[in-house]
Short mmCIF file of all heavy atoms in Angstrom, two decimals:
data_model
loop_
_atom_site.label_atom_id
_atom_site.label_comp_id
_atom_site.label_asym_id
_atom_site.label_seq_id
_atom_site.Cartn_x
_atom_site.Cartn_y
_atom_site.Cartn_z
N THR A 68 -51.56 13.18 -2.80
CA THR A 68 -50.70 12.70 -3.91
C THR A 68 -51.47 12.32 -5.13
O THR A 68 -51.04 12.52 -6.29
CB THR A 68 -49.83 11.48 -3.51
OG1 THR A 68 -50.61 10.46 -2.98
CG2 THR A 68 -48.77 11.92 -2.49
N ALA A 69 -52.71 11.89 -4.97
CA ALA A 69 -53.57 11.56 -6.12
C ALA A 69 -53.88 12.84 -6.85
O ALA A 69 -53.76 12.97 -8.11
CB ALA A 69 -54.86 10.84 -5.66
N PHE A 70 -54.23 13.89 -6.10
CA PHE A 70 -54.52 15.22 -6.66
C PHE A 70 -53.20 15.69 -7.35
O PHE A 70 -53.27 16.08 -8.58
CB PHE A 70 -54.97 16.15 -5.66
CG PHE A 70 -54.99 17.65 -6.17
CD1 PHE A 70 -56.01 18.11 -6.93
CD2 PHE A 70 -53.88 18.47 -5.95
CE1 PHE A 70 -56.01 19.38 -7.51
CE2 PHE A 70 -53.87 19.76 -6.51
CZ PHE A 70 -54.97 20.24 -7.26
N LEU A 71 -52.12 15.68 -6.72
CA LEU A 71 -50.90 16.17 -7.28
C LEU A 71 -50.46 15.54 -8.60
O LEU A 71 -49.90 16.17 -9.47
CB LEU A 71 -49.74 16.15 -6.27
CG LEU A 71 -49.88 16.92 -4.96
CD1 LEU A 71 -48.67 16.65 -3.99
CD2 LEU A 71 -49.97 18.43 -5.28
N SER A 72 -50.79 14.19 -8.70
CA SER A 72 -50.45 13.53 -9.89
C SER A 72 -51.17 14.05 -11.11
O SER A 72 -50.53 14.19 -12.18
CB SER A 72 -50.81 12.05 -9.72
OG SER A 72 -50.27 11.47 -8.57
N CYS A 73 -52.36 14.46 -10.99
CA CYS A 73 -53.11 15.01 -12.09
C CYS A 73 -52.86 16.47 -12.27
O CYS A 73 -52.74 16.94 -13.39
CB CYS A 73 -54.65 14.80 -11.87
SG CYS A 73 -55.10 13.06 -11.85
N TRP A 74 -52.66 17.16 -11.16
CA TRP A 74 -52.41 18.57 -11.15
C TRP A 74 -51.13 18.89 -11.97
O TRP A 74 -51.11 19.85 -12.83
CB TRP A 74 -52.31 18.99 -9.67
CG TRP A 74 -51.73 20.38 -9.45
CD1 TRP A 74 -52.37 21.58 -9.65
CD2 TRP A 74 -50.42 20.71 -8.90
NE1 TRP A 74 -51.57 22.64 -9.28
CE2 TRP A 74 -50.36 22.06 -8.81
CE3 TRP A 74 -49.35 19.95 -8.54
CZ2 TRP A 74 -49.24 22.75 -8.30
CZ3 TRP A 74 -48.21 20.60 -8.04
CH2 TRP A 74 -48.17 21.96 -7.99
N VAL A 75 -50.05 18.20 -11.74
CA VAL A 75 -48.76 18.49 -12.39
C VAL A 75 -48.92 18.23 -13.87
O VAL A 75 -48.29 18.95 -14.68
CB VAL A 75 -47.64 17.67 -11.73
CG1 VAL A 75 -47.66 16.25 -12.08
CG2 VAL A 75 -46.28 18.27 -12.07
N TYR A 76 -49.68 17.22 -14.26
CA TYR A 76 -49.89 16.91 -15.64
C TYR A 76 -50.65 18.08 -16.35
O TYR A 76 -50.27 18.51 -17.44
CB TYR A 76 -50.69 15.61 -15.80
CG TYR A 76 -51.07 15.15 -17.17
CD1 TYR A 76 -50.07 14.67 -18.01
CD2 TYR A 76 -52.32 15.34 -17.68
CE1 TYR A 76 -50.41 14.30 -19.30
CE2 TYR A 76 -52.68 14.88 -18.96
CZ TYR A 76 -51.71 14.38 -19.75
OH TYR A 76 -51.99 13.98 -21.04
N GLU A 77 -51.69 18.58 -15.67
CA GLU A 77 -52.43 19.69 -16.26
C GLU A 77 -51.60 20.91 -16.37
O GLU A 77 -51.64 21.70 -17.39
CB GLU A 77 -53.68 20.00 -15.39
CG GLU A 77 -54.69 18.85 -15.47
CD GLU A 77 -55.86 19.08 -14.55
OE1 GLU A 77 -55.96 20.05 -13.80
OE2 GLU A 77 -56.77 18.16 -14.52
N GLU A 78 -50.77 21.13 -15.36
CA GLU A 78 -49.86 22.40 -15.42
C GLU A 78 -48.82 22.29 -16.56
O GLU A 78 -48.53 23.31 -17.17
CB GLU A 78 -49.17 22.60 -14.05
CG GLU A 78 -50.08 22.76 -12.86
CD GLU A 78 -50.94 24.05 -12.80
OE1 GLU A 78 -51.12 24.68 -13.85
OE2 GLU A 78 -51.35 24.41 -11.71
N LEU A 79 -48.39 21.13 -16.84
CA LEU A 79 -47.40 20.97 -17.94
C LEU A 79 -48.01 21.48 -19.25
O LEU A 79 -47.35 22.26 -19.99
CB LEU A 79 -47.07 19.44 -18.18
CG LEU A 79 -46.26 19.21 -19.45
CD1 LEU A 79 -44.81 19.25 -19.20
CD2 LEU A 79 -46.69 17.81 -20.02
N TRP A 80 -49.29 21.16 -19.43
CA TRP A 80 -49.89 21.57 -20.70
C TRP A 80 -50.32 23.08 -20.72
O TRP A 80 -50.37 23.67 -21.82
CB TRP A 80 -51.12 20.66 -21.02
CG TRP A 80 -50.57 19.35 -21.33
CD1 TRP A 80 -50.75 18.19 -20.55
CD2 TRP A 80 -49.79 18.88 -22.44
NE1 TRP A 80 -50.06 17.07 -21.15
CE2 TRP A 80 -49.47 17.55 -22.30
CE3 TRP A 80 -49.31 19.54 -23.59
CZ2 TRP A 80 -48.72 16.80 -23.21
CZ3 TRP A 80 -48.56 18.86 -24.52
CH2 TRP A 80 -48.26 17.47 -24.30
N HIS A 81 -50.39 23.62 -19.57
CA HIS A 81 -50.63 25.12 -19.51
C HIS A 81 -49.32 25.76 -20.01
O HIS A 81 -49.41 26.68 -20.79
CB HIS A 81 -50.94 25.61 -18.08
CG HIS A 81 -52.24 25.09 -17.48
ND1 HIS A 81 -52.60 25.29 -16.19
CD2 HIS A 81 -53.19 24.33 -18.09
CE1 HIS A 81 -53.73 24.76 -16.00
NE2 HIS A 81 -54.15 24.12 -17.13
N GLY A 82 -48.18 25.24 -19.46
CA GLY A 82 -46.90 25.82 -19.91
C GLY A 82 -46.64 25.69 -21.42
O GLY A 82 -46.28 26.64 -22.10
N GLU A 83 -47.06 24.54 -21.95
CA GLU A 83 -46.82 24.30 -23.37
C GLU A 83 -47.80 25.17 -24.22
O GLU A 83 -47.45 25.61 -25.33
CB GLU A 83 -47.07 22.82 -23.67
CG GLU A 83 -45.99 21.86 -23.17
CD GLU A 83 -44.62 22.06 -23.90
OE1 GLU A 83 -44.57 22.85 -24.86
OE2 GLU A 83 -43.63 21.46 -23.40
N ALA A 84 -48.98 25.37 -23.70
CA ALA A 84 -49.92 26.22 -24.44
C ALA A 84 -49.41 27.63 -24.58
O ALA A 84 -49.50 28.30 -25.60
CB ALA A 84 -51.29 26.25 -23.76
N PHE A 85 -48.89 28.19 -23.50
CA PHE A 85 -48.33 29.57 -23.56
C PHE A 85 -47.03 29.58 -24.46
O PHE A 85 -46.85 30.49 -25.15
CB PHE A 85 -47.92 30.05 -22.10
CG PHE A 85 -49.09 30.36 -21.26
CD1 PHE A 85 -49.19 30.02 -19.91
CD2 PHE A 85 -50.13 31.17 -21.77
CE1 PHE A 85 -50.26 30.39 -19.09
CE2 PHE A 85 -51.25 31.48 -20.97
CZ PHE A 85 -51.26 31.06 -19.61
N SER A 86 -46.31 28.49 -24.33
CA SER A 86 -45.10 28.37 -25.21
C SER A 86 -45.50 28.44 -26.68
O SER A 86 -44.91 29.18 -27.47
CB SER A 86 -44.42 27.07 -24.86
OG SER A 86 -43.38 26.92 -25.79
N ARG A 87 -46.51 27.73 -27.00
CA ARG A 87 -46.94 27.70 -28.41
C ARG A 87 -47.49 29.11 -28.84
O ARG A 87 -47.28 29.57 -29.90
CB ARG A 87 -47.96 26.59 -28.66
CG ARG A 87 -48.58 26.69 -30.00
CD ARG A 87 -48.64 25.39 -30.84
NE ARG A 87 -49.28 25.69 -32.11
CZ ARG A 87 -50.29 25.01 -32.63
NH1 ARG A 87 -50.77 23.94 -31.98
NH2 ARG A 87 -50.71 25.24 -33.85
N PHE A 88 -48.30 29.67 -27.93
CA PHE A 88 -48.86 30.96 -28.24
C PHE A 88 -47.77 31.93 -28.58
O PHE A 88 -47.81 32.69 -29.53
CB PHE A 88 -49.77 31.44 -27.09
CG PHE A 88 -50.43 32.73 -27.38
CD1 PHE A 88 -51.70 32.74 -27.90
CD2 PHE A 88 -49.82 34.00 -27.14
CE1 PHE A 88 -52.33 33.91 -28.21
CE2 PHE A 88 -50.43 35.16 -27.43
CZ PHE A 88 -51.75 35.16 -28.00
N LEU A 89 -46.76 31.98 -27.71
CA LEU A 89 -45.63 32.93 -27.92
C LEU A 89 -44.90 32.60 -29.19
O LEU A 89 -44.46 33.47 -29.94
CB LEU A 89 -44.67 32.92 -26.73
CG LEU A 89 -45.17 33.58 -25.47
CD1 LEU A 89 -44.36 33.24 -24.27
CD2 LEU A 89 -45.10 35.15 -25.69
N GLY A 90 -44.76 31.27 -29.51
CA GLY A 90 -44.18 30.86 -30.77
C GLY A 90 -44.92 31.31 -31.98
O GLY A 90 -44.36 31.92 -32.92
N GLU A 91 -46.23 31.13 -31.93
CA GLU A 91 -47.11 31.52 -33.11
C GLU A 91 -47.02 33.08 -33.23
O GLU A 91 -47.22 33.61 -34.32
CB GLU A 91 -48.57 31.07 -32.80
CG GLU A 91 -48.75 29.58 -32.72
CD GLU A 91 -48.74 28.87 -34.12
OE1 GLU A 91 -48.66 29.58 -35.15
OE2 GLU A 91 -48.69 27.65 -34.11
N ALA A 92 -46.90 33.76 -32.15
CA ALA A 92 -46.80 35.27 -32.21
C ALA A 92 -45.44 35.71 -32.63
O ALA A 92 -45.23 36.93 -32.80
CB ALA A 92 -47.20 35.80 -30.87
N GLY A 93 -44.50 34.76 -32.85
CA GLY A 93 -43.21 35.15 -33.36
C GLY A 93 -42.19 35.58 -32.32
O GLY A 93 -41.13 36.10 -32.66
N HIS A 94 -42.46 35.23 -31.04
CA HIS A 94 -41.48 35.62 -29.97
C HIS A 94 -40.37 34.53 -29.79
O HIS A 94 -40.73 33.35 -29.67
CB HIS A 94 -42.22 35.87 -28.65
CG HIS A 94 -42.96 37.12 -28.66
ND1 HIS A 94 -42.34 38.34 -28.44
CD2 HIS A 94 -44.22 37.42 -28.97
CE1 HIS A 94 -43.25 39.27 -28.55
NE2 HIS A 94 -44.39 38.78 -28.84
N ARG A 95 -39.18 35.04 -29.76
CA ARG A 95 -38.03 34.04 -29.54
C ARG A 95 -37.49 34.44 -28.16
O ARG A 95 -37.23 35.55 -27.85
CB ARG A 95 -37.02 34.27 -30.59
CG ARG A 95 -37.49 33.88 -31.99
CD ARG A 95 -36.48 34.15 -33.01
NE ARG A 95 -36.99 33.76 -34.36
CZ ARG A 95 -36.27 33.06 -35.19
NH1 ARG A 95 -35.02 32.74 -34.84
NH2 ARG A 95 -36.75 32.70 -36.32
N LEU A 96 -37.30 33.42 -27.32
CA LEU A 96 -36.89 33.70 -25.93
C LEU A 96 -35.51 33.17 -25.69
O LEU A 96 -35.00 32.22 -26.29
CB LEU A 96 -37.89 32.97 -24.95
CG LEU A 96 -39.35 33.31 -25.22
CD1 LEU A 96 -40.18 32.71 -24.05
CD2 LEU A 96 -39.63 34.82 -25.27
N GLU A 97 -34.94 33.74 -24.69
CA GLU A 97 -33.60 33.33 -24.21
C GLU A 97 -33.73 31.89 -23.66
O GLU A 97 -34.78 31.53 -23.22
CB GLU A 97 -33.12 34.22 -23.08
CG GLU A 97 -32.86 35.68 -23.49
CD GLU A 97 -31.55 35.81 -24.28
OE1 GLU A 97 -30.92 34.81 -24.61
OE2 GLU A 97 -31.24 36.98 -24.60
N PRO A 98 -32.62 31.13 -23.65
CA PRO A 98 -31.36 31.50 -24.10
C PRO A 98 -31.07 31.04 -25.57
O PRO A 98 -30.09 31.50 -26.17
CB PRO A 98 -30.39 30.64 -23.21
CG PRO A 98 -31.22 29.43 -22.89
CD PRO A 98 -32.65 29.85 -22.90
N ASP A 99 -31.90 30.25 -26.17
CA ASP A 99 -31.60 29.69 -27.51
C ASP A 99 -32.21 30.54 -28.62
O ASP A 99 -31.74 30.46 -29.74
CB ASP A 99 -32.12 28.20 -27.59
CG ASP A 99 -33.50 28.15 -27.21
OD1 ASP A 99 -34.43 28.42 -28.03
OD2 ASP A 99 -33.77 27.75 -26.02
N ARG A 100 -33.22 31.30 -28.27
CA ARG A 100 -33.93 32.17 -29.30
C ARG A 100 -34.47 31.34 -30.47
O ARG A 100 -34.58 31.94 -31.56
CB ARG A 100 -32.99 33.23 -29.73
CG ARG A 100 -32.42 34.04 -28.66
CD ARG A 100 -31.54 35.19 -29.18
NE ARG A 100 -30.95 35.92 -28.09
CZ ARG A 100 -30.56 37.15 -28.18
NH1 ARG A 100 -30.71 37.89 -29.21
NH2 ARG A 100 -30.04 37.76 -27.11
N LEU A 101 -34.76 30.07 -30.25
CA LEU A 101 -35.23 29.30 -31.36
C LEU A 101 -36.75 29.53 -31.49
O LEU A 101 -37.45 29.81 -30.51
CB LEU A 101 -35.12 27.76 -31.01
CG LEU A 101 -33.63 27.29 -31.02
CD1 LEU A 101 -33.56 25.89 -30.52
CD2 LEU A 101 -33.00 27.35 -32.43
N PRO A 102 -37.25 29.45 -32.72
CA PRO A 102 -38.66 29.58 -32.91
C PRO A 102 -39.40 28.37 -32.35
O PRO A 102 -38.75 27.26 -32.29
CB PRO A 102 -38.88 29.70 -34.41
CG PRO A 102 -37.63 29.03 -35.00
CD PRO A 102 -36.58 29.22 -33.98
N VAL A 103 -40.57 28.50 -31.91
CA VAL A 103 -41.40 27.30 -31.45
C VAL A 103 -42.56 27.21 -32.50
O VAL A 103 -43.41 28.12 -32.58
CB VAL A 103 -41.89 27.51 -30.05
CG1 VAL A 103 -42.91 26.41 -29.65
CG2 VAL A 103 -40.70 27.43 -29.07
N ALA A 104 -42.61 26.15 -33.14
CA ALA A 104 -43.68 25.95 -34.18
C ALA A 104 -44.54 24.81 -33.74
O ALA A 104 -44.24 23.91 -32.95
CB ALA A 104 -43.06 25.67 -35.53
#
Side-chain angles (χ1 to χ4, degrees):
T68 54
F70 169 80
L71 294 176
S72 306
C73 295
W74 167 76
V75 72
Y76 179 73
E77 292 176 0
E78 302 290 22
L79 169 90
W80 293 109
H81 296 173
E83 290 293 352
F85 287 137
S86 174
R87 169 132 184 232
F88 184 91
L89 286 165
E91 298 284 352
H94 286 278
R95 297 175 176 227
L96 306 187
E97 296 284 5
D99 52 81
R100 305 184 184 204
L101 292 171
V103 170

